[in-house]
Amino acid sequence: FKVLRENLNYSEKAVLSMWPKRFSIEDAEKYARDEDTPIPNQEVIANLAYGNRLGNGAPDSDGDGDMDKDDDGYKYRGVGCLQITGKSNFIEVQKRCLKYAGKEMNPDTLEGFIVFGMAYWMRFDLYRLADKGVADRVVDSITAKINYYTHSYENRVNHFRKIKNLINI
């Protein structure tokens, strides 16, 4: 296993497609990846994408006039097996970690990565959906609970098809 944090290495076209209400063309040109900017500013992308939602503060929530590591969008970007995103989800998952593991977890450790994912799984009763069988529609129903608006439905089903023969039902 490898601990995963959301990769925000997006092109201008991608940020405008994924978050059209959160990015202006100027923001995309300034912060996203293009020929002139081979390394995007992932912190700012996260802060703009996730600011003022999911329990996060405003993109410049520390009030210093610039966007930095203290901003909630970047701090609470996707993490763990299920890419849990947002301060409110982190807080809720930590409550579940206390309940099921007896302690708060650091999602940037392997133990936290796994327990964080399992706590989220339990929070939304995803095991009930999984118990409906080994089928593409089950993968889609779980994906819809985790991130309804994702563009990764097809990828998730393809990954599932590769491993479904390993699942013992």
Side-chain angles (χ1 to χ4, degrees), residues 74-90:
Y74 187 75
K75 183 176 180 181
Y76 299 107
R77 70 194 185 283
V79 67
C81 310
L82 302 176
Q83 291 293 281
I84 296 158
T85 306
K87 187 175 184 176
S88 58
N89 285 328
F90 271 62

Side-chain angles (χ1 to χ4, degrees), residues 58-121:
D60 186 30
S61 58
D62 62 0
D64 66 0
D66 63 0
M67 295 183 202
D68 55 37
K69 291 182 183 177
D70 297 325
D71 284 297
D72 287 348
Y74 187 75
K75 183 176 180 181
Y76 299 107
R77 70 194 185 283
V79 67
C81 310
L82 302 176
Q83 291 293 281
I84 296 158
T85 306
K87 187 175 184 176
S88 58
N89 285 328
F90 271 62
I91 290 168
E92 182 60 34
V93 167
Q94 285 292 13
K95 289 177 188 175
R96 301 284 174 153
C97 290
L98 281 169
K99 179 178 178 180
Y100 298 115
K103 62 182 178 179
E104 286 193 359
M105 305 302 289
N106 178 349
D108 291 321
T109 66
L110 183 57
E111 177 186 34
F113 170 79
I114 294 167
V115 174
F116 231 60
M118 293 310 298
Y120 194 84
W121 188 262

Side-chain angles (χ1 to χ4, degrees), residues 4 20 25 48 98 139 145:
L4 300 173
I25 292 172
L48 290 173
L98 281 169
V139 175
K145 281 282 208 179

Side-chain angles (χ1 to χ4, degrees), residues 5-163:
R5 275 290 191 161
E6 182 176 4
N7 181 346
L8 294 149
N9 184 9
Y10 290 115
S11 68
E12 292 175 9
K13 182 179 176 183
V15 296
L16 291 170
S17 169
M18 292 175 68
W19 298 291
K21 294 179 181 175
R22 299 192 156 270
F23 283 85
S24 65
I25 292 172
E26 294 78 22
D27 287 337
E29 289 173 349
K30 187 173 180 180
Y31 303 117
R33 179 175 36 81
D34 64 13
E35 306 81 39
D36 299 325
T37 311
I39 301 172
N41 189 327
Q42 293 189 38
E43 292 176 28
V44 174
I45 290 171
N47 291 330
L48 290 173
Y50 300 127
N52 281 329
R53 57 190 279 240
L54 303 168
N56 295 335
D60 186 30
S61 58
D62 62 0
D64 66 0
D66 63 0
M67 295 183 202
D68 55 37
K69 291 182 183 177
D70 297 325
D71 284 297
D72 287 348
Y74 187 75
K75 183 176 180 181
Y76 299 107
R77 70 194 185 283
V79 67
C81 310
L82 302 176
Q83 291 293 281
I84 296 158
T85 306
K87 187 175 184 176
S88 58
N89 285 328
F90 271 62
I91 290 168
E92 182 60 34
V93 167
Q94 285 292 13
K95 289 177 188 175
R96 301 284 174 153
C97 290
L98 281 169
K99 179 178 178 180
Y100 298 115
K103 62 182 178 179
E104 286 193 359
M105 305 302 289
N106 178 349
D108 291 321
T109 66
L110 183 57
E111 177 186 34
F113 170 79
I114 294 167
V115 174
F116 231 60
M118 293 310 298
Y120 194 84
W121 188 262
M122 298 299 287
R123 174 185 179 200
F124 289 103
D125 297 330
L126 297 178
Y127 57 89
R128 293 182 197 276
L129 295 173
D131 285 347
K132 292 185 177 180
V134 181
D136 295 354
R137 68 182 179 280
V138 172
V139 175
D140 284 344
S141 66
I142 291 172
T143 299
K145 281 282 208 179
I146 294 169
N147 186 355
Y148 182 79
Y149 296 105
T150 187
H151 299 284
S152 67
Y153 281 86
E154 184 178 345
N155 287 340
R156 292 171 190 241
V157 167
N158 289 335
H159 290 303
F160 175 73
R161 287 177 182 155
K162 288 179 185 176
I163 65 155

